[in-house]
Amino acid sequence: MNRRPLIAGNWKMHLTVSEAVRLAQAAAQTCGACPDRDVMVAPAFTALTKVREALKDTSLLVAAQNVAWEREGAYTGEVSPVMLQDIGVHFAIIGHSERRQIFGEDDAMINCRLRGALAGGIQPVLCVGETLEERETGRTISVLEQQMRQDLQGVSADKMHQIVLAYEPVWAIGTGKTATTEQAQEAHAFLRRFLTEEYEKNIADGVRILYGGSVKPENIDNLMAQPDIDGALVGGAALQAESFDRIIRFR
């Protein structure tokens, strides 16, 4: 199946509102010149409204960096699917390794966020990946299987097509290290096999799986040449217009 590529920039806790708007507008210009692929940016919550307004006449997609599992309630510091929908944001990153590692979000919470997002009309970008210790002890596949099984619990086949997956080896995020193309492809192929076994082949073939982990202009072309890599979840290189432009324009 010919899956449409998706390049997503996760800006994490960077950029003021005005800086985010300028960077988003630059990305939108590149996006307009590359009609055969989707481009997404995920600003901080404070910048979402202004960025979305600035992009209203463009094809650039906007995502939140997280989303709560309830519509409303006593959840200090959380942002609900309804709040995102209200400002025209229809995507959210869920289960990023920094949420798992730094903030202690486990698979049960990630599953709640995922199902809450789907119920609230938000399309999730679900992140999974192993630590360096897990890779060095040969547990990459078992860790990915456990995360997928728990994170997708209760997600029906008719909802699965709304989800984007992102494989992000934790040891490669912000370290300058990148999984080899072979390592990345192996993990992506496993994730697709898992979806085939748990759902069915046509669903697995349709799900986009992004690679995240020190994606740079220098490695994007080789990564995108792999059969099961459908895009990239870009961190630091998405904070500079020039480098993000080159990644969006992968060949």
Side-chain angles (χ1 to χ4, degrees):
M1 182 177 291
N2 188 21
R3 293 176 293 271
R4 184 175 172 85
L6 169 61
I7 303 295
N10 176 17
W11 293 347
K12 307 188 182 184
M13 198 175 72
H14 294 285
L15 307 178
T16 63
V17 173
S18 60
E19 290 169 342
V21 167
R22 286 195 298 272
L23 184 55
Q25 289 172 329
Q29 287 189 323
T30 305
C31 182
C34 301
D36 62 338
R37 60 203 64 180
D38 290 330
V39 182
M40 175 188 291
V41 295
F45 283 121
T46 53
L48 277 175
T49 300
K50 289 294 186 181
V51 167
R52 188 69 196 88
E53 289 174 355
L55 300 175
K56 63 182 178 181
D57 296 322
T58 77
S59 60
L60 193 68
L61 305 173
V62 181
Q65 295 177 17
N66 207 353
V67 63
W69 53 93
E70 296 284 359
R71 291 176 55 87
E72 61 183 14
Y75 301 100
T76 300
E78 291 288 337
V79 174
S80 77
V82 174
M83 294 170 179
L84 295 182
Q85 289 271 21
D86 184 51
I87 60 172
V89 173
H90 307 295
F91 298 86
I93 299 170
I94 296 174
H96 191 280
S97 64
E98 289 157 6
R99 299 303 310 178
R100 295 176 187 261
Q101 302 290 318
I102 301 173
F103 298 100
E105 294 193 7
D106 60 12
D107 289 305
M109 176 175 284
I110 289 162
N111 177 250
C112 281
R113 291 189 188 277
L114 186 79
R115 289 187 290 110
L118 290 168
I122 300 296
Q123 291 187 245
V125 179
L126 172 63
C127 301
V128 295
E130 81 284 10
T131 65
L132 181 60
E133 188 268 336
E134 288 165 343
R135 171 162 284 276
E136 289 181 338
T137 53
R139 291 185 288 149
T140 294
I141 297 304
S142 64
V143 167
L144 292 178
E145 180 176 5
Q146 177 181 323
Q147 290 176 338
M148 290 284 283
R149 199 169 296 284
Q150 294 183 6
D151 296 347
L152 295 175
Q153 187 171 3
V155 175
S156 61
D158 65 320
K159 291 289 188 181
M160 190 62 225
H161 74 277
Q162 298 178 31
I163 298 174
V164 174
L165 290 178
Y167 166 63
E168 41 161 34
V170 180
W171 48 272
I173 298 172
T175 64
K177 298 179 180 178
T178 309
T180 66
T181 52
E182 293 79 14
Q183 289 172 325
Q185 166 57 25
E186 179 185 34
H188 282 236
F190 166 75
L191 294 175
R192 207 171 303 282
R193 286 197 306 273
F194 177 92
L195 293 176
T196 300
E197 294 167 2
E198 294 298 314
Y199 295 94
E200 54 186 76
K201 189 175 188 303
N202 68 320
I203 291 175
D205 286 344
V207 171
R208 292 187 286 190
I209 308 177
L210 316 182
Y211 172 76
S214 293
V215 176
K216 302 182 287 288
E218 295 78 16
N219 60 29
I220 185 62
D221 295 342
N222 287 336
L223 288 167
M224 291 303 297
Q226 303 306 305
D228 287 296
I229 297 180
D230 307 312
L233 182 59
V234 188
L239 292 171
Q240 300 295 326
E242 184 177 359
S243 59
F244 195 39
D245 176 274
R246 174 62 182 86
I247 292 170
I248 294 169
R249 296 177 187 269
F250 72 86
R251 295 186 288 270

